[in-house]
Amino acid sequence: REQSRGGVRVKVTRATETKYFGSERNGSDARNGFFERFRRVGGPQDDYFDSSEEKQGGAGEGEGGEEGKSEDEEEEVRPGTANSRYLRSTSEAGLTPWPLLTKCQNLRNPTLNLRHLSMGPEFASSLAKGLHTLDFLKVIDLSGNRLATKPACDLIKALRNHQLQTLVLDQNQIGAKGVEAVVSLLENSDSLVGLGLAENQLNDKALLPLVRCLVENRTLLSLRLCKNNLGPATAKELASMLRNNHKLQHLHASWNSFRDVGARAVVEAMAENDQLRTLDLEMTGLGPAVAGSLAKVLSETTVLTVLKVSKNRITTANALEIVEALRKNAVAPLLKIEIEDNNIDEEAKAKLLNQISSHALNPLNSSPLRLLSNHSSITELDDEDPDKEWIELHSDPLMAEIEGKLKVKGRR
């Protein structure tokens, strides 16, 4: 983007062109077509849009009259299309548009990936007007776009009539009103399975309506709340939700200040939940006493496959308790545990790894992940392991879309 006498204008580099429009071979034609449509709906007429070649082309069109327009051109400026709504809104706001909607016009892969564009409130409001008609979208990633409360609410409300499966709003600032809009979306959706709200500076009061909504929700499979300003109050509400919600399978709540009282509530609630497969409590203030309760839960669980408790205060004694708990629980499906940066010696880590590996090979373990046993460490699967994507991504729809490794059409 550059500042000129006529305002802000956009120059599309070859890398950006490829990102938005596909291959470099087809990028130029797609780019020219996009900005030509913008000009026809009333875009700014600065020197960037009025090159000598375009002026000559315009004169030729004038001689031919309106009859010279093709049917495709007439359809492209139809007021009801998503691009036309978006372009008209950017024109009215005095903005030079980014081609935000161009790459999602594909029914085979109905994904709109706009992560980390820092689009800001003006472009977000224009984008919301275009999203109304794109009801075929299944995945929308808007993380890292400086979305404040109002533009976030506009975007979320535009998705009410969609069959959306995954919505990622990480690294924004949607605020309490934004959370209320998400709650309304959940209450009116029978398709949303993945929701990402990490790094939104949400506090206990702001998130409370969402957690209470999930008590009755029967669609959401994956929830990401990492790196917010959540304390023991939210942890207790999450625990209550886990006791009553038997649909949620993946809960990511790392880097929050749950402390012992909040972490204990979540861990003990797991004993009454028969669906949770992933629990992420990294850096939540989980101490030795809570780790003891965690070992007790692991001695009884039949569903948990991924546990993340790094950067807490777990001791060597706690690790040995977990080993003993898994030894007693012959059908425990736990296949991955992240436990680095705790007060655990190497011998205890090795025992824990061996115990998890033996569970993976146990014929009594009916988990479809049981063959994934060739970890090189407790904290990481082998990068060359083809099943790494399966355990971490295929089983968790939200994380799959965040990593961009699983296409929607492949999901069952």
Side-chain angles (χ1 to χ4, degrees):
R1 305 181 70 191
E2 293 183 354
Q3 187 75 31
S4 67
R5 288 177 296 177
V8 177
R9 62 184 182 180
V10 175
K11 286 187 176 181
V12 182
T13 64
R14 185 167 297 279
T16 304
E17 176 182 306
T18 302
K19 177 180 178 182
Y20 284 117
F21 301 111
S23 67
E24 295 181 4
R25 182 181 62 182
N26 299 326
S28 297
D29 292 340
R31 178 195 62 188
N32 293 337
F34 173 80
F35 284 114
E36 180 61 26
R37 288 198 299 276
F38 173 63
R39 190 169 63 170
R40 287 203 300 273
V41 297
Q45 303 294 315
D46 64 10
D47 57 340
Y48 179 66
F49 292 94
D50 288 332
S51 65
S52 59
E53 292 182 1
E54 290 179 326
K55 289 178 180 178
Q56 292 175 3
E61 289 178 5
E63 293 175 3
E66 292 296 323
E67 295 179 359
K69 285 188 176 182
S70 67
E71 293 180 2
D72 290 340
E73 287 178 328
E74 291 177 356
E75 186 173 346
E76 284 169 347
V77 296
R78 195 172 67 240
T81 64
N83 256 328
S84 295
R85 288 171 179 264
Y86 166 66
L87 292 173
R88 194 175 301 279
S89 178
T90 55
S91 173
E92 292 172 355
L95 301 171
T96 301
W98 294 354
L100 299 179
L101 294 176
T102 302
K103 64 173 182 174
C104 71
Q105 312 287 341
N106 184 353
L107 294 175
R108 295 181 180 178
N109 186 23
T111 300
L112 180 59
N113 180 2
L114 300 178
R115 71 180 75 174
H116 303 310
L117 293 181
S118 298
M119 67 176 72
E122 296 86 358
F123 278 106
S125 296
S126 297
L127 176 64
K129 296 181 180 179
L131 285 179
H132 280 286
T133 59
L134 298 179
D135 54 2
F136 64 88
L137 286 174
K138 302 298 183 185
V139 178
I140 298 180
D141 187 346
L142 296 169
S143 55
N145 274 292
R146 298 187 295 118
L147 299 181
T149 298
K150 186 181 183 307
C153 289
D154 291 342
L155 286 166
I156 296 167
K157 290 176 182 177
L159 303 173
R160 281 183 177 175
N161 297 321
H162 292 51
Q163 290 299 305
L164 194 64
Q165 294 177 357
T166 303
L167 176 62
V168 186
L169 293 169
D170 297 345
Q171 298 176 330
N172 289 295
Q173 296 180 10
I174 68 172
K177 292 292 184 181
V179 172
E180 291 177 6
V182 170
V183 169
S184 179
L185 180 66
L186 276 169
E187 291 175 342
N188 293 280
S189 172
D190 59 0
S191 61
L192 192 65
V193 297
L195 176 63
L197 295 176
E199 298 184 62
N200 266 273
Q201 300 182 20
L202 298 172
N203 57 26
D204 294 329
K205 184 178 179 181
L207 200 67
L208 183 61
L210 173 64
V211 179
R212 290 182 174 174
C213 165
L214 292 178
V215 172
E216 302 295 331
N217 183 272
R218 294 298 178 265
T219 60
L220 199 69
L221 299 178
S222 181
L223 177 63
R224 181 176 165 92
L225 301 174
C226 311
K227 295 186 178 180
N228 280 293
N229 300 322
L230 307 179
T234 294
K236 291 178 180 179
E237 292 293 336
L238 286 171
S240 177
M241 181 269 293
L242 289 174
R243 288 189 176 94
N244 295 278
N245 182 315
H246 295 278
K247 187 68 176 180
L248 191 72
Q249 296 181 7
H250 310 278
L251 176 60
H252 304 270
S254 60
W255 291 81
N256 284 294
S257 301
F258 290 171
R259 299 196 292 274
D260 270 352
V261 61
R264 181 187 295 276
V266 173
V267 168
E268 292 179 349
M270 289 172 55
E272 302 177 41
N273 186 288
D274 59 359
Q275 291 296 320
L276 197 68
R277 296 174 59 185
T278 300
L279 179 62
D280 182 359
L281 292 178
E282 178 181 338
M283 194 65 177
T284 53
L286 188 154
V290 180
S293 299
L294 180 62
K296 182 179 179 181
V297 171
L298 292 176
S299 69
E300 302 172 353
T301 184
T302 58
V303 292
L304 191 68
T305 57
V306 178
L307 176 64
K308 301 182 180 183
V309 286
S310 301
K311 297 178 175 64
N312 284 294
R313 292 177 287 120
I314 299 173
T315 65
T316 296
N318 295 141
L320 295 176
E321 288 178 354
I322 293 174
V323 171
E324 185 62 26
L326 292 175
R327 185 177 292 121
K328 292 179 179 178
N329 187 355
V331 294
L334 186 67
L335 295 174
K336 179 181 179 184
I337 180 168
E338 291 186 0
I339 200 167
E340 73 268 27
D341 295 332
N342 282 288
N343 299 319
I344 303 174
D345 61 32
E346 293 301 319
E347 182 180 356
K349 288 181 181 180
K351 289 181 179 180
L352 186 53
L353 175 59
N354 290 336
Q355 189 61 46
I356 293 174
S357 298
S358 66
H359 269 75
L361 295 174
N362 191 334
L364 295 177
N365 185 345
S366 59
S367 168
L369 306 179
R370 67 181 185 276
L371 298 178
L372 205 164
S373 61
N374 55 348
H375 319 164
S376 58
S377 72
I378 295 177
T379 59
E380 294 182 0
L381 299 175
D382 188 351
D383 288 339
E384 300 301 323
D385 185 350
D387 288 325
K388 176 178 180 181
E389 182 175 316
W390 206 97
I391 186 173
E392 291 192 303
L393 303 178
H394 184 79
S395 58
D396 188 339
L398 176 61
M399 296 304 293
E401 302 308 339
I402 290 175
E403 296 296 332
K405 294 182 179 179
L406 182 66
K407 293 183 179 180
V408 178
K409 63 180 181 181
R411 180 183 299 142
R412 295 179 181 178

